[in-house]
Amino acid sequence: MSAVLEAVRAGHAGETALLVKKLTDAERRALLPELQDLRKELRAAPWETPAQRSYPALQVAGAMCHSGAAAAATWIAGADMRWRQAPAETLLTALADRDTGWQADVARRLSARPVSADVSFELMAGLVRGSGCEVPVTDAYVVGWVRHIGRTWGRVPLVDRLRAEPDLAPLVNGLFELSDLGEVRWLFGDGPGSWQSALAELARTGTLDRKVIVDACLARLLRGGGPTDHRVFLPLLVQLALTRGEELERVADWTALARDAVSPVAAHAQSVLAALALDGDLTARQLAEASEGLLFRAEKKLVRAQLVLLGKVLTREAASTAELLPAVAQAFGHEDTQVQERALKLVERHVKRLTEDSAAQAGIADAAEQLSPALRARAAALGIAPASAPEVYEEVLPPAPEPFRLAPAPDSAVELAEEVSALLASAGDVAAFERALDGLARHAHRDQDALRKALEPVAATRWWQPDSSGRRYAEEHFDHHRRGLLNTENGLDLILATLYGEVSTAALFAALQHGPADHDCARHGFSRVIDVRFRELAYRIRTDPQPLLLATPSWSTGLLEPGDLVDRLDSYRRLGARVGDVDFAQALLRVRREDRTAALAAAGRASELGTPEGERLARRLSAGEPALPTSDRRTSGPRILIESGEVLDLQTDFPEAFRRLGRPFTASDAVRYCYHWGQEDHQHWLATLPELRELVAVRLVHDLSEAALDDQRGVAAALPLLAESGGAAGESTRLCVAYGLGARHPEDRLAAVDALLVLAARGQLDAERLGADLGQLVQRGAVKPSRLAESARTAVATGANTTIWEMLRHTLPVLLADLATAGTGTSGSVRGLGELLSIAAECAERSGARGDIPHLAQAAARRGSSRLVVQARRLRAALAEEAAA
């Protein structure tokens, strides 16, 4: 071992540098392979091993031995060097004898690395100083500089530390160009010692070009960026204290910020524009342009403030009416009817000035078409908009998704391999999965050698391939004594490992006979069905390949046409193939029975096959539609859960995994923790019982309650599929949708709205019971009214006014009763009630609903002008309005 390698292994970075300096260029190049071998050795060593101390010296040796700047930079910034770097002073000393051009090149390449590479700023800055090159204004360099300044706390104020920086101007400019300020956001505090105050002071004294800083700050706010950017650049903009002249020069910027920036920035821009307008420094056209975008913002506080400003200017400057009043009318399209009413009152007050301006009048009349029906009628009565004949309301619901027929399994083994690879890379839908599974069975029966050859590129990348010692990971992982159940991804791995002989026949047989380690988890019985389907297919591929899979669905929802199943059984009969118990059981659960004509016709054909499976299929098809189990409600804290009784249809002649689905399901099953919680393939659950969605929904209710109560994300993605499934949509399905409408995350609420609209379009939504369920959930604190309001408004935006009205008219009585009891209106179930009343009023106005809601009159009779009271009065008026003749 050379002296250099001994020093490196000992972790002596300084000694290593001295030894390498004595080597010639040729000797350094000759040493590189040994250093690379040592690096590979250290990468494979456990993190806690003493050998890890060699990294700093190894970093120094490699940097010195590489003659090219690119190779040296790559070595220094290697990911494995990141946590055990050599001191910057040591590296700088070691590289000091290189020419300045080489050092500058290394500095540029290191600074071009991502911030996550964590390259030492002291090293980059030292190379810049040593080479005399221009400072590289990259994310890594600027972030490193900011962190370096932040680490040098002392008695020297920040402003003085910055003033002493020789490259201050380009580095500050780079600060405004950072792609992600989150890396250093924590360093930007508040107060007189903050970065913002320091930069403002430097701009004031002329150390930094004030105009450049102001323009850069506005440009960054206009660009947007990360969610915390405004917390840095908005305070800086405020501290720069722009003069009136500087503000006037940038009216276009303030207008753009008021329209499109995040709320705090928009509020500041609006305040600047308001001050300019009230001082007479804005033209009417400039104010109108700023208002047209701002009045569409969702922040009602900003919109109201702009309307107040417009009212003041209109009162003071009559000549601006033709410019400003059409801009005010833009607020007629706001989703909040209180904003619409404010805008309408403002137009009413000043519209008489437009008697000679027909273009402005026409623009206002066109905008009035966006008003709510009650306000539109008021506008027509005042002559602001033309009177229109009452429209007959027609509910508009998005069309329900149509299921599609599954294409046959790929006839080519190569094409099948491509589909399997795609499934393993990103989980596909039920159709893609079932086609691939059927294709694996068919090709394994036809020619396993050809199938293995086609799958070689896929298998070569899988984790279960044996290592150099011959260790068989697949045998260990798929051992039936292990806890894990197979899901759609590792189930495909079991099939592949079986094809390549990485799982023994004995292990496959034992797993099929005994199943995974027993865990009494009724909530996840579906996972067991998926597991045994894979295990049976793997065992049959090894011992007695099946010509095809009986359970492959005919439709994307998982439904299997009875005629298709009879044809497949006939193929088995002709080939003399043995039917798989699990495969046939899944086929029986998927076969369509709701279409009685098709079912009875297929039953006759099945009897004629003369096989036990044909007779069993005939009996099932002749027995009628599947029956739902009995169900009861149970409460668990704020949750409402469903318990279901036994499904006798699943208790006879089915394998054990399937019988679990028919056992009673209790509230304790729903809340019981299990080891595979969160690993469910919900779309495949629905495809397991495509005509019994309630058996799936009852096991989803608790999961969906977590989306509302515990802020879980993503579980509501199953709701649209649940709505598209078959069978009755009962209590469990309704509760799933109800919890989804109150989910914490917007994407989950959107999925619940999709499910609600699909059920409504299919005529399967009991809106009255769903509304009553929501009332109870809000009352118990399981669903927040504000989240429910957002979901309801999203559904209303699609045109489903009657559907949402029928739902809310059964939700509101519960909450209005709470309001009467609470008195002050501060209870959890009452907070957010004003928004729900607003949506209900809008639906009633648009759909022409009439009647009464319990406790609404008491709410409308309350004193004050709060949103709750105003919207209660609006709803009462809409429901009491005389129906048009």
Side-chain angles (χ1 to χ4, degrees):
M1 181 186 297
S2 69
V4 175
L5 284 179
E6 288 181 0
V8 171
R9 286 190 177 275
H12 299 153
E15 181 183 347
T16 298
L18 292 174
L19 290 171
V20 176
K21 277 185 180 292
K22 298 176 182 179
L23 302 179
T24 65
D25 289 345
E27 287 173 331
R28 293 186 186 188
R29 287 193 296 271
L31 184 60
L32 270 176
E34 296 182 71
L35 294 176
Q36 290 165 345
D37 289 341
L38 176 57
R39 187 177 184 182
K40 292 178 182 177
E41 178 186 328
L42 292 178
R43 282 173 175 169
W47 176 251
E48 66 276 5
T49 181
Q52 298 291 331
R53 66 187 179 185
S54 304
Y55 266 117
L58 180 63
Q59 188 182 37
V60 170
M64 296 179 71
C65 290
H66 280 98
S67 58
T74 300
W75 181 278
I76 292 170
D80 52 339
M81 306 282 187
R82 189 173 305 162
W83 306 110
R84 299 288 183 92
Q85 298 186 43
E89 298 81 2
T90 303
L91 274 169
L92 289 170
T93 302
L95 302 176
D97 59 347
R98 297 296 183 96
D99 66 75
T100 56
W102 186 92
Q103 292 186 43
D105 197 2
V106 172
R108 284 191 294 268
R109 291 177 183 276
L110 289 176
S111 66
R113 294 272 170 169
V115 176
S116 58
D118 201 24
V119 178
S120 167
F121 171 75
E122 289 77 7
L123 174 61
M124 292 187 289
L127 290 169
V128 169
R129 288 193 303 270
S131 65
C133 70
E134 185 176 324
V135 61
V137 186
T138 63
D139 278 12
Y141 198 92
V142 174
V143 167
W145 173 67
V146 173
R147 289 172 175 170
H148 172 72
I149 294 293
R151 285 195 295 265
T152 56
W153 292 111
R155 296 185 178 180
V156 181
L158 174 62
V159 65
D160 292 334
R161 295 200 301 277
L162 291 175
R163 191 177 283 117
E165 170 60 57
D167 298 307
L168 180 63
L171 288 172
V172 169
N173 290 339
L175 183 64
F176 290 100
E177 296 298 327
L178 280 178
S179 58
D180 184 7
L181 198 65
E183 295 287 347
V184 290
R185 166 69 183 88
W186 60 277
L187 289 170
F188 291 83
D190 300 314
S194 67
W195 272 79
Q196 293 92 329
S197 62
L199 293 174
E201 172 65 16
L202 293 172
R204 185 186 66 79
T205 59
T207 305
L208 291 172
D209 187 319
R210 176 180 174 84
K211 184 178 185 304
V212 170
I213 297 300
V214 171
D215 289 342
C217 194
L218 281 168
R220 181 62 185 233
L221 291 173
L222 284 166
R223 190 181 84 182
T228 62
D229 279 16
H230 67 277
R231 297 178 187 172
V232 173
F233 297 110
L234 180 58
L236 172 58
L237 185 64
V238 172
Q239 294 212 31
L240 285 169
L242 272 62
T243 65
R244 180 52 53 90
E246 289 174 324
E247 290 175 344
L248 277 171
E249 290 174 4
R250 297 167 174 85
V251 168
D253 292 336
W254 303 123
T255 299
L257 290 173
R259 286 180 171 189
D260 303 318
V262 295
S263 188
V265 178
H268 176 75
Q270 183 189 42
S271 68
V272 173
L273 289 170
L276 293 174
L278 293 175
D279 289 346
D281 292 328
L282 277 190
T283 66
R285 171 55 12 209
Q286 287 174 322
L287 180 56
E289 287 176 355
S291 301
E292 285 172 357
L294 202 153
L295 291 176
F296 277 108
R297 291 188 68 106
E299 302 95 331
K300 285 170 277 193
K301 183 177 180 180
L302 291 179
V303 176
R304 288 195 295 266
Q306 192 68 12
L307 289 174
V308 170
L309 171 64
L310 288 165
K312 291 179 179 178
V313 176
L314 282 165
T315 300
R316 188 183 64 190
E317 302 174 14
S320 66
T321 304
E323 289 277 6
L324 295 184
L325 217 54
V328 172
Q330 298 298 312
F332 291 171
H334 199 277
E335 65 178 18
D336 188 345
T337 55
Q338 285 185 288
V339 169
Q340 294 181 18
E341 187 172 11
R342 282 174 178 264
L344 181 58
K345 286 180 179 179
L346 193 55
V347 171
E348 290 171 2
R349 194 178 306 139
H350 300 282
V351 72
K352 293 178 181 178
R353 300 175 184 171
L354 296 178
T355 52
E356 297 181 2
D357 195 325
S358 58
Q361 289 178 331
I364 294 172
D366 289 342
E369 293 298 317
Q370 302 176 78
L371 289 166
S372 69
L375 293 177
R376 190 163 61 246
R378 174 174 156 185
L382 294 169
I384 294 173
S388 56
E391 298 180 0
V392 178
Y393 175 75
E394 183 177 352
E395 183 81 340
V396 177
L397 292 171
E402 293 291 335
F404 59 87
R405 271 270 188 180
L406 263 66
D411 192 55
S412 162
V414 173
E415 184 183 349
L416 173 64
E418 292 173 353
E419 294 195 7
V420 170
S421 178
L423 277 174
L424 290 170
S426 58
D429 57 17
V430 169
F433 168 75
E434 293 290 349
R435 287 182 69 245
L437 209 60
D438 186 40
L440 287 168
R442 290 173 182 267
H443 284 278
H445 179 268
R446 186 183 307 166
D447 188 342
Q448 290 198 16
D449 289 337
L451 179 58
R452 278 189 288 269
K453 183 177 180 180
L455 287 167
E456 278 177 1
V458 181
T461 64
R462 304 310 295 168
W463 55 266
W464 43 262
Q465 286 287 359
D467 59 19
S468 57
S469 66
R471 181 178 177 185
R472 301 177 72 178
Y473 292 101
E475 185 82 12
E476 297 175 11
H477 182 82
F478 296 119
D479 186 338
H480 72 282
H481 291 297
R482 294 179 62 88
R483 292 171 59 85
L485 288 171
L486 298 176
N487 56 28
T488 53
E489 180 180 350
N490 57 30
L492 287 172
D493 272 312
L494 171 62
I495 304 302
L496 295 179
T498 299
L499 282 166
Y500 286 90
E502 294 303 324
V503 185
S504 67
T505 305
L508 293 170
F509 179 74
L512 183 60
Q513 289 293 108
H514 303 291
D518 189 37
H519 294 273
D520 188 14
C521 183
R523 175 174 169 272
H524 291 296
F526 289 97
S527 298
R528 294 182 176 277
V529 171
I530 295 171
D531 179 270
V532 296
R533 287 189 68 200
F534 279 120
R535 295 190 186 278
E536 180 184 77
L537 177 57
Y539 179 69
R540 290 293 297 272
I541 285 175
R542 177 64 56 77
T543 60
D544 182 17
Q546 298 159 270
L548 52 88
L549 292 184
L550 297 172
T552 304
S554 305
W555 299 95
S556 55
T557 57
L559 270 177
L560 173 56
E561 289 296 335
D564 292 347
L565 181 52
V566 174
D567 292 340
R568 294 171 190 173
L569 286 174
D570 190 33
S571 296
Y572 266 74
R573 180 188 60 80
R574 287 186 285 101
L575 294 170
R578 180 170 61 87
V579 171
D581 291 341
V582 172
D583 184 31
F584 185 51
Q586 176 63 92
L588 289 177
L589 293 181
R590 283 179 170 167
V591 70
R592 183 198 292 269
R593 292 193 282 169
E594 288 182 339
D595 185 344
R596 299 308 303 152
T597 302
L600 293 175
R605 289 181 55 209
S607 295
E608 295 172 359
L609 293 176
T611 63
E613 291 79 18
E615 290 297 330
R616 186 176 169 193
L617 174 60
R619 290 195 302 271
R620 185 169 184 82
L621 293 173
S622 301
E625 297 182 28
L628 287 175
T630 58
S631 63
D632 292 298
R633 291 187 172 222
R634 293 288 184 270
T635 58
S636 176
R639 290 176 169 85
I640 298 175
L641 303 175
I642 301 294
E643 296 186 334
S644 65
E646 187 176 39
V647 183
L648 295 177
D649 191 37
L650 294 175
Q651 296 303 301
T652 56
D653 297 330
F654 278 96
E656 171 62 22
F658 292 86
R659 290 202 293 272
R660 286 176 177 270
L661 299 179
R663 292 176 185 171
F665 185 81
T666 66
S668 61
D669 292 325
V671 300
R672 183 181 301 154
Y673 176 81
C674 60
Y675 67 93
H676 55 281
W677 206 325
Q679 300 175 7
E680 302 85 3
D681 293 308
H682 288 142
Q683 60 176 333
H684 297 283
W685 290 17
L686 290 158
T688 300
L689 293 174
E691 283 190 334
L692 284 172
R693 76 173 124 204
E694 277 293 284
L695 284 186
V696 181
V698 74
R699 289 161 171 80
L700 287 175
V701 169
H702 183 271
D703 290 7
L704 267 298
S705 73
E706 291 187 327
L709 281 162
D710 302 322
D711 296 349
Q712 291 294 318
R713 186 192 296 269
V715 67
L719 285 176
L721 299 175
L722 184 69
E724 294 170 29
S725 192
E731 280 189 298
S732 298
T733 300
R734 287 198 307 274
L735 271 178
C736 285
V737 173
Y739 281 122
L741 293 173
R744 162 66 176 83
H745 299 287
E747 62 269 29
D748 288 323
R749 294 197 296 273
L750 184 60
V753 172
D754 285 345
L756 182 149
L757 295 175
V758 169
L759 289 170
R762 298 179 69 186
Q764 296 173 335
L765 179 68
D766 191 332
E768 296 183 9
R769 292 189 179 182
L770 175 61
D773 289 341
L774 283 165
Q776 292 183 43
L777 291 174
V778 172
Q779 187 181 49
R780 297 179 65 86
V783 167
K784 294 183 178 180
S786 57
R787 295 177 185 172
L788 174 58
E790 289 183 24
S791 297
R793 190 167 291 284
T794 301
V796 167
T798 69
N801 292 284
T802 297
T803 300
I804 298 305
W805 165 247
E806 288 299 321
M807 180 183 80
L808 290 181
R809 77 183 181 94
H810 290 85
T811 303
L812 290 172
V814 180
L815 310 186
L816 291 170
D818 278 357
L819 174 66
T821 303
T824 59
T826 59
S827 69
S829 63
V830 170
R831 196 175 297 115
L833 178 55
E835 185 64 23
L836 284 174
L837 286 167
S838 172
I839 297 166
E842 180 179 343
C843 291
E845 289 170 349
R846 295 186 182 280
S847 65
R850 301 292 180 265
D852 187 25
I853 291 182
H855 311 291
L856 177 62
Q858 295 93 313
R862 293 164 70 94
R863 295 181 179 179
S865 58
S866 67
R867 180 170 181 76
L868 188 155
V869 173
V870 169
Q871 295 303 323
R873 292 169 183 166
R874 176 189 170 198
L875 177 57
R876 181 182 62 177
L879 294 176
E881 185 178 329
E882 288 296 327

